Amino acid sequence: MNKQTVIIIGGGLGGLFTGALLTKEGFRVTVLEKNAIAGGGLQTFKRDGVSFDTGMHLLGGLRRGGSIDKICHYLGIDSRLELRPCDADCMDSIVYLGEGTYRVPEGREAFTSYFVQKFPDEAEGVRRYVEALYQLADEVDFFYLRTGKDDLFAHSEQFLWSATDFIAYYIKDERLRDVLAYMNPMYGGVAGHTPAYIHALINVLYISGQDRFVGGSQQLADALTDIIGEGGGTVVTNACVTALNVDEERWCTSVVTSKGDSYSADYYISAIHPQRLVSIAGERAFPKSYRQRVASIPNSYSAFSLYIKFRDESFPYINHTCYFQDGYGRVWQHGDYDVCDEAWPHGFMYMTPPEHNQGPWATKMIVNCLMPFSAVSEWEDTTVGRRGAAYEAWKQQHVDRILRRMEQVHPGFSNAVEKVWSSSPLTIRDYYGQPEGALYGVRKDCQNIMLSQLPIWTKVRNLLLTGQNVNLHGICGVPLTAVNTVEALVGQNTMVEKINNLYNSTYGKN
């Protein structure tokens, strides 16, 4: 066991996975989390006796042999998680208002066959498209927890195409192009800018099988916190880091919280947004060129969300994720916004999360609509609970618009609703500490891919990065990035080999 100490700034998914893995390696870990509860997007909140997830609604990579399942097995938390698989014959449904509904099955072959059946004139294109999706994903070693060294410029030509160009290369039918981009709300894609590899990784992850947390995502945060504690570390909540002390030789010597508490360690790892990190580090920590680069990276979309409590036995439980489109041709414009557009939103994602002993009736629903931060810029200088009557009226206006849309999809929906709560990009900004309420962190742009590629080691010699802003966001990308960050301290491929060796000794080599 080594005696080295690590302070992790941010107790979200990235900070907790990184902390748990380092704990297994013998490091003494302290995680500093600004909120009262650790977990970030894993946190849940309760209203009128009903718990709602804040961010982690849909899971991929947790089936047997999946990368995240392997990491959880290595940490010893796989048996602590209660999951429910989505329906295999319909992992997702896509409603086109007035046009019909697609019921998309899981599994590579079933997915391919379904769209070949729906669009027989595009049969060959569909087969080639799905094959290309998996080929792009196969180029990323860390996605499959394989030893190797990923280099953005050591991939096939299509890897850094835009996702829109990638789909169009194989598919001629404009409607099918739109349908095959339906997972856009999972990564906030932008036409002509989102790289094809992001589109491929997200699609392959979920086509391979989707699961949900039963009873809420906080269980994963609690399990990771327990691993850190059992290894002698600690997760400190209500500890917002407001300053990094960096000496003239660019070594971080301590961090300071808003309460004035000071913490020191051998290494420091930032799991917060890089723009926020730079803002609290001071000018001495990073060269001007690095600070300017971080400031210029565009952020991903934010979201406006509804949290709905149903009346008893009034709305059926749906064991898959639902996507709504009011017509073809808008899937890449979900993040566009005009307050005068009475038809907003033109597309969104909704789901009925499962409870323990889930029966035929849903108790709740979550609706997520992509939205740019500019929609709430009028109130960007306000704080929670003090945004004013105009803001509350604006929120209610958008709640009503979404409920009208749900009524179109499910006639009689309003009769099932008992209560509704909502959140805006301001909520995400303040709760998660994400500039502009960026739901998926910094935006990857194939037109300038190097801008958003931040290395794990920073210009501060003992300060590293982890979390969704480094490689890939979400339940898959963030834990895998945690592996990369830990390997920066313990040696390349060290963790991958340990994780795979333990998994193979338990279940056999896949």
Side-chain angles (χ1 to χ4, degrees):
M1 299 289 286
N2 68 60
K3 302 294 184 182
Q4 291 180 304
T5 55
V6 178
I7 287 173
I8 297 176
I9 306 168
L13 183 67
L16 292 178
F17 259 107
T18 304
L21 288 167
L22 284 170
T23 297
K24 294 285 283 187
E25 289 299 294
F27 288 82
R28 184 62 62 87
V29 174
T30 301
V31 179
L32 302 177
E33 164 57 35
K34 77 180 187 69
N35 289 323
I37 302 173
L42 294 172
Q43 294 179 53
T44 59
F45 67 92
K46 186 171 284 190
R47 294 288 184 274
D48 275 15
V50 178
S51 293
F52 293 96
D53 295 334
T54 57
M56 199 58 61
H57 311 300
L58 190 60
L59 311 174
L62 279 161
R63 299 284 176 89
R64 179 63 55 83
S67 297
I68 311 310
D69 181 49
K70 290 181 178 181
I71 296 173
C72 289
H73 180 69
Y74 178 76
L75 292 173
I77 63 173
D78 48 341
S79 60
R80 304 189 196 185
L81 305 179
E82 187 177 354
L83 307 176
R84 179 182 178 124
C86 294
D87 294 333
D89 63 343
C90 180
M91 65 171 185
D92 294 320
S93 65
I94 315 163
V95 175
Y96 280 85
L97 194 62
E99 301 282 350
T101 300
Y102 298 90
R103 295 177 59 84
V104 186
E106 74 174 39
R108 178 175 178 173
E109 296 304 322
F111 183 93
T112 303
S113 297
Y114 180 81
F115 285 109
V116 166
Q117 178 188 2
K118 289 291 184 181
F119 295 86
D121 292 343
E122 291 279 4
E124 183 58 27
V126 169
R127 294 188 185 98
R128 293 176 60 222
Y129 164 76
V130 176
E131 181 180 357
L133 274 182
Y134 278 80
Q135 286 177 346
L136 287 189
D138 193 59
E139 293 183 34
V140 184
D141 283 329
F142 93 100
F143 185 69
Y144 293 101
L145 274 178
R146 296 190 302 242
T147 57
K149 186 175 181 179
D150 289 305
D151 183 342
L152 276 173
F153 299 99
H155 292 283
S156 65
E157 178 188 359
Q158 292 185 341
F159 196 80
L160 289 178
W161 283 8
S162 73
T164 43
D165 288 344
F166 175 76
I167 297 172
Y169 181 80
Y170 297 99
I171 307 298
K172 296 182 177 64
D173 190 303
E174 294 284 354
R175 294 177 307 145
L176 181 55
R177 289 180 182 179
D178 199 74
V179 174
L180 292 176
Y182 80 90
M183 288 191 194
N184 184 16
M186 298 299 295
Y187 53 87
V190 178
H193 293 274
T194 298
Y197 81 90
I198 296 289
H199 172 79
L201 291 174
I202 296 297
N203 275 265
V204 168
L205 178 69
Y206 291 113
I207 291 172
S208 300
Q210 302 180 17
D211 297 283
R212 295 169 164 183
F213 285 117
V214 176
S217 53
Q218 185 67 45
Q219 58 182 290
L220 177 55
D222 293 342
L224 293 169
T225 298
D226 289 344
I227 294 299
I228 294 170
E230 291 163 8
T234 184
V235 176
V236 185
T237 56
N238 293 313
C240 180
V241 174
T242 54
L244 276 70
N245 292 318
V246 178
D247 65 21
E248 294 181 355
E249 296 183 353
R250 289 214 172 104
W251 288 92
C252 186
T253 57
S254 65
V255 297
V256 181
T257 71
S258 58
K259 295 180 179 179
D261 298 322
S262 180
Y263 296 84
S264 298
D266 298 308
Y267 294 100
Y268 300 81
I269 298 175
S270 171
I272 61 177
H273 194 288
Q275 291 175 5
R276 181 165 172 257
L277 173 67
V278 168
S279 71
I280 64 175
E283 294 187 0
R284 174 185 289 179
F286 301 107
K288 183 178 180 180
S289 58
Y290 185 87
R291 287 184 273 119
Q292 290 177 333
R293 177 188 172 193
V294 168
S296 65
I297 302 175
N299 285 305
S300 58
Y301 284 121
S302 194
F304 190 95
S305 300
L306 297 195
Y307 306 92
I308 299 169
K309 178 184 178 182
F310 290 124
R311 303 182 193 281
D312 292 342
E313 299 186 359
S314 63
F315 192 86
Y317 171 73
I318 303 172
N319 197 42
H320 62 261
T321 306
C322 305
Y323 296 83
F324 164 79
Q325 312 267 10
D326 68 359
Y328 292 99
R330 290 185 179 269
V331 70
W332 294 104
Q333 282 77 48
H334 286 344
D336 293 351
Y337 175 80
D338 182 349
V339 69
C340 296
D341 181 3
E342 292 292 336
W344 183 93
H346 296 282
F348 53 79
M349 178 175 66
Y350 64 97
M351 65 215 72
T352 56
E355 304 280 12
H356 300 288
N357 303 313
Q358 178 64 55
W361 300 102
T363 60
K364 58 192 174 186
M365 175 180 282
I366 298 173
V367 185
N368 286 333
C369 309
L370 292 181
M371 176 181 277
F373 189 75
S374 59
V376 293
S377 59
E378 178 181 350
W379 303 283
E380 65 180 320
D381 295 327
T382 63
T383 57
V384 177
R386 298 185 177 183
R387 305 204 195 278
Y391 173 74
E392 294 302 326
W394 176 88
K395 281 182 70 179
Q396 188 59 52
Q397 178 188 47
H398 288 69
V399 169
D400 293 341
R401 289 178 177 181
I402 295 169
L403 292 178
R404 284 198 295 270
R405 284 299 200 185
M406 290 302 304
E407 188 72 28
Q408 290 179 293
V409 181
H410 298 281
F413 183 82
S414 58
N415 295 327
V417 175
E418 181 176 324
K419 282 194 176 181
V420 181
W421 298 270
S422 63
S423 65
S424 79
L426 291 172
T427 315
I428 297 171
R429 181 198 66 177
D430 295 343
Y431 195 69
Y432 297 135
Q434 294 290 319
E436 299 181 317
L439 196 60
Y440 308 115
V442 298
R443 195 182 86 198
K444 304 294 190 294
D445 189 341
C446 63
Q447 301 296 332
N448 187 3
I449 196 65
M450 288 307 297
L451 179 63
S452 60
Q453 295 303 122
L454 296 175
I456 287 171
W457 283 106
T458 72
K459 299 296 184 179
V460 177
R461 299 184 182 187
N462 58 340
L463 174 65
L464 296 81
L465 303 180
T466 196
Q468 69 174 355
N469 298 289
V470 180
N471 286 317
L472 185 68
H473 66 273
I475 187 62
C476 184
V478 174
L480 290 172
T481 299
V483 172
N484 292 160
T485 299
V486 173
E487 286 191 339
L489 293 178
V490 302
Q492 185 178 340
N493 295 328
T494 300
M495 296 306 306
V496 169
E497 290 176 355
K498 287 183 178 183
I499 291 167
N500 283 318
N501 288 341
L502 179 61
Y503 201 87
N504 292 339
S505 68
T506 303
Y507 299 111
K509 195 169 184 178
N510 357 30

